[in-house]
Amino acid sequence: MRFGLSLMATVSLAIGAASLYHATFSVRSQWLGRTCWRGRRDRNAVALTFDDGPSPDTEGILDTLAEHNLRATFFMVGREVESFPGIAQRVLKEGHEVGNHSYSHPSYLFQRASETRDQLRRAQDVIARTIGVRPILARPPYGVRTPAYFGATRALGLLTVQWDVAGFDWKRRSANQIARNVLSKVQPGSIILLHDGDSSGKHHRQNTVAALPLIIEGLNARNLKILPLHQLVTKSDWPSATG
Ligand SMILES: [Zn+2]
């Protein structure tokens, strides 16, 4: 009897832990709040997203996008916007979308609710002050979402955008490997995750810069267009600007 009870307790604890893990870490989970991880599949198009910038490597990404007349989305870290305000301004000036990727890139899992709110608010303020536009999109660091995170994004009118395809460029991959990671998984509607900065401030993103032309070429070869998120995400999901 006692054994049966403790087994049940262990099983329910394990189920609880697995559920919590799914809700916070699984990039597609909708359990805690609405999360967009893929766009419309009927457009034969995908979106490119870049996290953790701006950084000096953002310039190389912008050059390639301009060369091909493409628009992408940059999920910026507030602290990096303060370090590289001119690059953040260039991103907006060249027609790209800007999203909130926190102020200093913590995992929201280990923060108090008030700290999570402050991270999101502070990033909104820094970005708005620097480039003159208040983001309507957010992507949490490491893709980790908590109830406090969704409380804050709801209050700020932010749509959470995750991804379904990653270049794994944070794992020190070569340009060819990054491009292969993307092109082997990409489908119509895919939201592609790449990095134009490094949240630890230790690594450059030259491999991502070099991978981008290969990715664009591979997508062209499959007749997959590259659209900004607002053209790929279903209209009813898109938030209205909060001003
Ligand atoms: Zn990040």
Side-chain angles (χ1 to χ4, degrees):
M1 180 69 180
R2 188 170 284 174
F3 173 76
L5 272 179
S6 67
L7 180 69
M8 265 170 60
T10 309
V11 168
S12 38
L13 256 179
I15 291 173
S19 306
L20 183 71
Y21 184 86
H22 173 80
T24 53
F25 286 100
S26 166
V27 294
R28 301 174 186 187
S29 167
Q30 309 289 326
W31 287 12
L32 295 176
R34 196 155 61 86
T35 297
C36 170
W37 56 272
R38 189 172 63 190
R40 295 173 55 152
R41 310 195 67 186
D42 59 351
R43 294 237 158 135
N44 234 29
V46 301
L48 293 170
T49 67
F50 297 90
D51 288 9
D52 295 2
S55 84
D57 293 323
T58 308
E59 305 253 36
I61 303 277
L62 291 172
D63 292 344
T64 300
L65 293 172
E67 232 170 79
H68 293 84
N69 195 26
L70 295 172
R71 305 286 172 269
T73 305
F74 291 78
F75 288 93
M76 294 185 180
V77 175
R79 191 178 57 189
E80 307 308 326
V81 173
E82 287 175 338
S83 298
F84 303 101
I87 299 175
Q89 286 157 3
R90 183 181 163 196
V91 169
L92 184 82
K93 208 172 111 203
E94 298 192 0
H96 305 291
E97 294 164 346
V98 174
N100 181 327
H101 195 47
S102 81
Y103 177 74
S104 61
H105 210 276
S107 169
Y108 294 140
L109 192 61
F110 305 116
Q111 291 211 307
R112 287 196 299 272
S114 59
E115 290 173 319
T116 296
R117 265 198 311 275
D118 285 351
Q119 281 282 332
L120 280 151
R121 279 209 192 115
R122 202 167 164 195
Q124 287 293 94
D125 290 346
V126 168
I127 293 170
R129 204 166 50 234
T130 308
I131 68 173
V133 169
R134 196 163 278 274
I136 53 174
L137 305 175
R139 176 176 285 163
Y142 315 104
V144 169
R145 290 141 302 151
T146 61
Y149 165 80
F150 279 113
T153 54
R154 267 192 294 272
L156 295 166
L158 294 165
L159 171 67
T160 296
V161 180
Q162 304 271 57
W163 62 91
D164 67 323
V165 173
F168 294 95
D169 51 351
W170 64 92
K171 290 191 169 180
R172 317 292 298 139
R173 298 290 190 257
S174 71
N176 278 319
Q177 286 170 324
I178 294 167
R180 249 200 323 272
N181 288 338
V182 170
L183 295 169
S184 64
K185 292 272 159 56
V186 75
Q187 301 174 35
S190 280
I191 297 174
I192 298 167
L193 168 67
L194 294 164
H195 290 78
D196 62 318
D198 170 37
S199 58
S200 69
K202 289 187 195 140
H203 306 295
H204 63 73
R205 291 298 183 204
Q206 280 303 310
N207 291 359
T208 305
V209 174
L212 186 57
L214 306 175
I215 292 171
I216 293 170
E217 196 181 305
L219 294 173
N220 283 342
R222 291 173 201 202
N223 285 324
L224 283 169
K225 287 193 294 272
I226 298 169
L227 294 177
L229 274 175
H230 77 269
Q231 289 180 27
L232 192 71
V233 170
T234 310
K235 241 191 187 142
S236 57
D237 284 343
W238 197 254
S240 50
T242 48

